[in-house]
Amino acid sequence: MDSDSALDSEVEVDVVIVGAGLSGIRAAVELHKAGLTIAILEMTDRVGGQCHDASTQDTARITSIGDTHTEMLSLAKDFKIDLTKQHREGLSLQQRYDRIQDGPQVVETIPALEKVVWPPEEYQLSFRSLIEDPAIQRFYRRISDLSETWHGPDALFLDAVSFLELVEANFSHSKAVQQEAHFLTSYLLSVDPARVSALYVLDHIASGGGLANLYFHPDSPGGGAHHFRLPQGRQAFITNLVDLLPDGSIHLSTMVTKITQQTTPISKIYYPSHPCKVETSPPSGSDSTASTNTKTFYAKKVLLATPPSLYSPCWSHFPDVLTFHPPLPAHKVASIHRHSGRYNNYGIFTTVTFYFSQPWWREAGLSGSMDCRVTRDLDGPISWVRDTSDDEGGGKINTTRKVWSLTCWCAGENAYEVWKWFDKTYPVDDETPEEIKGGWEASPVWMHLLRVFKERLDALEMEIPLPGQAFSGWEGEEEKEGERAEGAKPLSVYLFRKWTGVCFTPPRELPSNGDELEELLRTWKYDGPGKGDATMREPFRNVHFAGTETAEEWRGFMEGAARSGLRGAREIVQALKKGEGGKSQGLKAYL
């Protein structure tokens, strides 16, 4: 797979792909199928990017894809990757703001019915079986309408206000709606609504085909964006895609330092057929030797499939940021700045998975799903809860035993509260999940979970058992043949994990100068609802751009990453077919 052992310091290929995440690997497979030679350059010592599962036990049950994620479903079918439907049977709980009590109230919602009318007759997005508050119904109608109808220069001004400001301008007297807005941006982006641009939220909703596709709720015809879970983990997609690539095409621990697009001939060999010069070196702090990782690649095209922060000029003072010659256009630089994390604008969330000996919530007639639609100051840090059990007793983690678990997501500002408690109570390494075996009873997550489920179980005269009960005999069964999968570990009381979400854009600061504003309106490109910032994916000469941040659909999801890789690859193939001067020469003329 890796050609780092090669001694050649210069490599000639048709396309250099920077980044070996899902987007880059998917593009590489498509380009290879088109008959092009490729080199994939990855600065880390592994492939997969965000899809790399350090431990399947951590991620398999909480990683999901949607029932409308056509590209990922197609790959799962081709590679025979197992998919498990998210458990939905039983009543779901919601914690909502009660304006009479001025505090949270737990309500039960009816699960989806097979005969549900879809789409609802009154309006496209209905939460009628989920929401009774007319103000919140109006809020979702307004957000749905905006996410489908804004266009032209007006969209720029939506980019200049936060989502919370947009909500307050339309529903200034409804505290319930403001609480709902906090839940919505936490669920979609793991961020507080005051920190994210209103346009970005609306565009994110549109890129997923509307709230009904994104959200797991009773009126959805399927399960939304989290319909299926992946028992084998996300890495299964990467492993199978890599198997389709030629040997020696992936170069690990190879950091791209500079991309030069020649404007004048420098050699008869590499110009004009290979106008892109890609210089590399070992990553800073790497143990790799310069002789095997310092290479120069010459290519006809370059595809950048990395997060914008790795090529944003605003981070150019750091050693691991690549530079361009000639430099990127000013309007593209400005767009990359806003998507590069310059303002610490990454969504964050924490997951806490509790393991139980029995699915007590199912015995109580509950689905295990709970949405906390109030801010943490009114109750606790949990944003939502899902049943992440392994019903079949199979998969990578355990070959015969069923595993019963509830996973709590704490998103945005809520994650900070959990981190603060955890870091104070236990030493933690961000790269390693911590298995906690004591002291967790006082954690804010467990206390919040108890408060939400207690009312329902009290009515049934049931008690919530402590996590980990009846697991004490697990270690003694290690020697029993077939009881545990290779490498599996005894279940802990609960598992704590920190995550970084997709990079969002904060509200834009519009120029006060009229000429500068006019120039911004002239250069800012927006293709319409759901398409995102077109400038981000716009090619610069022979350098093309992919990655989930550039996706036109399902931005921030694995589906968006895969589709952006396909778009970038097809863009390159089409450009090479046309050749210079717009004359169609076909790919064979370049090979």
Side-chain angles (χ1 to χ4, degrees):
M1 179 183 69
D2 191 359
S3 65
D4 286 346
S5 59
L7 297 178
D8 294 338
S9 60
E10 294 185 345
V11 181
E12 178 184 342
V13 292
D14 294 315
V15 184
V16 165
I17 301 165
V18 183
L22 177 57
S23 180
I25 295 296
R26 186 66 188 92
V29 170
E30 192 73 6
L31 291 167
H32 177 58
K33 284 171 56 180
L36 298 171
T37 57
I38 56 175
I40 306 163
L41 313 184
E42 170 58 45
M43 69 180 296
T44 70
D45 60 357
R46 55 177 174 75
V47 296
Q50 292 294 325
C51 288
H52 176 77
D53 295 330
S55 170
T56 305
Q57 184 175 3
D58 304 347
T59 59
R61 298 192 188 96
I62 66 173
T63 303
S64 56
I65 61 177
D67 55 346
T68 57
H69 291 182
T70 54
E71 175 60 22
M72 297 308 297
L73 290 174
S74 176
L75 291 175
K77 181 179 180 180
D78 292 343
F79 299 143
K80 296 180 173 56
I81 295 175
D82 296 333
L83 300 176
T84 302
K85 285 186 178 181
Q86 173 63 47
H87 180 73
R88 303 183 67 184
E89 298 178 7
L91 296 174
S92 296
L93 300 180
Q94 294 199 14
Q95 198 172 29
R96 292 191 168 279
Y97 174 76
D98 187 304
R99 60 177 179 270
I100 298 176
Q101 300 179 8
D102 191 27
Q105 179 186 29
V106 177
V107 297
E108 298 172 354
T109 60
I110 302 174
L113 303 176
E114 293 296 330
K115 298 182 180 180
V116 67
V117 177
W118 187 265
E121 297 175 358
E122 287 89 345
Y123 40 83
Q124 183 175 359
L125 180 65
S126 169
F127 282 78
R128 57 192 174 189
S129 62
L130 192 70
I131 300 169
E132 297 181 355
D133 190 326
I136 295 180
Q137 289 188 353
R138 289 194 300 272
F139 162 71
Y140 278 113
R141 285 201 299 271
R142 177 63 173 155
I143 296 304
S144 297
D145 290 343
L146 280 174
S147 68
E148 297 170 358
T149 59
W150 79 83
H151 62 280
D154 291 344
L156 180 61
F157 297 98
L158 278 173
D159 202 24
V161 298
S162 71
F163 186 69
L164 184 60
E165 288 174 324
L166 176 68
V167 171
E168 290 176 342
N170 287 271
F171 303 92
S172 59
H173 301 297
S174 177
K175 188 172 181 179
V177 169
Q178 293 178 23
Q179 295 282 325
E180 194 74 20
H182 276 82
F183 170 77
L184 183 62
T185 57
S186 294
Y187 185 86
L188 297 179
L189 300 166
S190 298
V191 66
D192 188 282
R195 296 185 58 204
V196 60
S197 151
L199 178 63
Y200 190 87
V201 176
L202 297 173
D203 191 73
H204 185 84
I205 293 170
S207 76
L211 282 170
N213 276 343
L214 286 165
Y215 183 59
F216 180 94
H217 67 87
D219 283 336
S220 173
H226 305 283
H227 187 56
F228 295 105
R229 290 188 284 115
L230 305 171
Q232 295 168 258
R234 298 169 295 183
Q235 190 71 16
F237 290 100
I238 300 298
T239 302
N240 282 279
L241 286 169
V242 167
D243 288 342
L244 301 178
L245 297 174
D247 292 339
S249 59
I250 300 178
H251 302 255
L252 300 178
S253 299
T254 302
M255 182 181 69
V256 177
T257 57
K258 186 176 182 180
I259 297 175
T260 303
Q261 300 191 70
Q262 302 296 336
T263 55
T264 57
I266 57 172
S267 78
K268 294 181 180 179
I269 298 177
Y270 296 119
Y271 187 85
S273 62
H274 292 72
C276 298
K277 178 182 178 182
V278 182
E279 300 174 52
T280 71
S281 70
S284 58
S286 170
D287 295 331
S288 301
T289 61
S291 61
T292 59
N293 294 81
T294 302
K295 297 182 180 181
T296 301
F297 294 80
Y298 294 90
K300 302 163 188 174
K301 294 283 186 180
V302 175
L303 178 66
L304 282 178
T306 68
S309 57
L310 296 183
Y311 55 84
S312 172
C314 72
W315 300 113
S316 58
H317 54 289
F318 286 102
D320 292 346
V321 176
L322 69 90
T323 57
F324 298 85
H325 179 77
L328 298 174
H331 68 282
K332 191 169 185 69
V333 169
S335 179
I336 292 171
H337 273 196
R338 301 194 69 237
H339 292 80
S340 65
R342 181 183 184 186
Y343 307 99
N344 193 30
N345 48 325
Y346 283 96
I348 60 166
F349 60 97
T350 295
T351 56
V352 183
T353 301
F354 294 96
Y355 297 99
F356 300 91
S357 59
Q358 294 294 329
W360 52 265
W361 55 95
R362 297 188 186 183
E363 295 169 4
L366 301 175
S367 67
S369 292
M370 186 276 286
D371 293 337
C372 180
R373 296 170 179 266
V374 294
T375 52
R376 70 183 187 282
D377 58 302
L378 293 181
D379 196 355
I382 296 177
S383 299
W384 64 92
V385 181
R386 295 292 182 264
D387 182 334
T388 51
S389 302
D390 180 2
D391 299 49
E392 303 300 326
K396 294 273 186 179
I397 302 165
N398 173 10
T399 56
T400 59
R401 286 181 177 273
K402 295 183 179 181
V403 177
W404 308 109
S405 63
L406 291 176
T407 296
C408 308
W409 275 260
C410 308
E413 301 300 320
N414 292 7
Y416 285 115
E417 180 183 339
V418 181
W419 291 5
K420 183 178 179 181
W421 173 85
F422 190 87
D423 290 342
K424 182 180 179 181
T425 309
Y426 303 96
V428 62
D429 177 0
D430 289 345
E431 299 300 324
T432 306
E434 293 290 332
E435 296 182 8
I436 308 306
K437 301 184 182 302
W440 52 267
E441 294 95 332
S443 74
V445 179
W446 175 246
M447 298 302 292
H448 190 182
L449 188 72
L450 283 178
R451 287 193 296 271
V452 172
F453 283 92
K454 187 176 186 301
E455 183 177 345
R456 171 72 180 180
L457 269 70
D458 283 351
L460 297 175
E461 298 183 349
M462 295 177 61
E463 293 186 358
I464 299 178
L466 293 175
Q469 286 186 351
F471 289 152
S472 57
W474 175 266
E475 292 85 346
E477 300 179 2
E478 280 189 47
E479 304 301 326
K480 291 186 178 180
E481 183 177 0
E483 280 293 300
R484 295 174 61 197
E486 183 179 355
K489 296 182 293 185
L491 291 172
S492 56
V493 174
Y494 75 62
L495 196 65
F496 173 95
R497 186 80 181 188
K498 298 180 181 180
W499 306 86
T500 300
V502 70
C503 181
F504 62 88
T505 58
R508 179 190 295 270
E509 295 182 10
L510 294 179
S512 57
N513 182 284
D515 292 339
E516 293 179 0
L517 180 58
E518 185 177 341
E519 176 65 14
L520 176 60
L521 288 170
R522 185 185 69 79
T523 58
W524 188 62
K525 296 183 179 180
Y526 188 73
D527 292 342
K531 301 300 183 182
D533 188 345
T535 307
M536 281 288 294
R537 56 181 173 271
E538 182 182 59
F540 174 53
R541 298 185 180 180
N542 290 299
V543 177
H544 299 252
F545 297 82
T548 189
E549 293 86 358
T550 72
E552 295 180 273
E553 296 174 305
W554 291 108
R555 196 160 40 258
F557 292 84
M558 289 192 294
E559 179 74 7
R563 290 193 189 190
S564 75
L566 279 174
R567 172 192 52 76
R570 292 166 181 171
E571 200 175 79
I572 288 173
V573 170
Q574 187 63 29
L576 290 178
K577 282 182 178 180
K578 289 182 178 180
E580 293 184 358
K583 296 180 180 179
S584 178
Q585 300 179 30
L587 289 179
K588 291 184 178 180
Y590 287 92
L591 301 177

